[in-house]
Amino acid sequence: REAITVVVERKNPKTGQVFRYNGRTDKVIRKGGDIYIIDDKVTSSNRIYSDKWLQLAAYGKGFRLGYSRTLNYNNIKLRVVQRDHDSTVKNQQEKEFDHLLEQFLNQNFMLFEAIYNKAFVPEHHNNANKCRSCSFDCQWRLAEQNKG
């Protein structure tokens, strides 16, 4: 079991602009010929949101790009383990890193890159709780406005 650093690099064929996405996994293990990328989270919720699968899909793609030439394996499996504050496992789910998850990842990469390049302006969610958890300093910052 070890954490590894993964990288996904994307180049825009029209502009030549390069986006480099780096991440560090919580755990990577090999079991029965498969690679398991495991993300541990301490949470009070039992729900696993799509952004967690997006993060793990990026790890899966980065692992495949960085290690497939030097390591033989059958499949890459992504696992989310949710724990209570006392480290008791409350929930865990697993998905195989397949073409559907990779397509989901690529769509999100393209969306982020379009926002970064100002080719797309997203609509604001108008939710103060989401603003409080966001670290992006945008013009809509509802959390700051609601601090009386």
Side-chain angles (χ1 to χ4, degrees), residues 110-124:
M110 288 188 296
L111 177 60
F112 171 78
E113 293 158 11
I115 292 169
Y116 178 85
N117 286 319
K118 298 181 178 22
F120 176 74
V121 178
E123 288 186 30
H124 195 262

Side-chain angles (χ1 to χ4, degrees), residues 2-47:
E2 65 180 87
I4 61 166
T5 299
V6 293
V7 177
V8 175
E9 196 168 277
R10 292 172 42 91
K11 185 174 183 178
N12 183 315
K14 293 179 184 175
T15 66
Q17 183 180 31
V18 175
F19 284 86
R20 184 177 169 102
Y21 302 91
N22 300 313
R24 185 160 182 86
T25 65
D26 287 347
K27 294 178 199 155
V28 177
I29 62 173
R30 186 179 180 141
K31 182 178 173 186
D34 291 329
I35 298 296
Y36 288 80
I37 300 174
I38 302 167
D39 197 63
D40 268 314
K41 289 293 174 212
V42 175
T43 181
S44 57
S45 172
N46 283 328
R47 186 166 176 201

Side-chain angles (χ1 to χ4, degrees), residues 96-122:
E96 187 169 324
F97 181 60
D98 60 9
H99 71 281
L100 293 174
L101 267 176
E102 188 165 8
Q103 183 179 28
F104 172 64
L105 175 65
N106 288 332
Q107 289 169 341
N108 279 273
F109 278 154
M110 288 188 296
L111 177 60
F112 171 78
E113 293 158 11
I115 292 169
Y116 178 85
N117 286 319
K118 298 181 178 22
F120 176 74
V121 178

Side-chain angles (χ1 to χ4, degrees), residues 80-102:
V80 177
V81 179
Q82 293 179 310
R83 300 179 186 274
D84 282 334
H85 292 284
D86 65 0
S87 294
T88 303
V89 174
K90 327 171 21 166
N91 183 22
Q92 62 181 343
Q93 291 182 22
E94 186 176 297
K95 294 184 179 188
E96 187 169 324
F97 181 60
D98 60 9
H99 71 281
L100 293 174
L101 267 176
E102 188 165 8

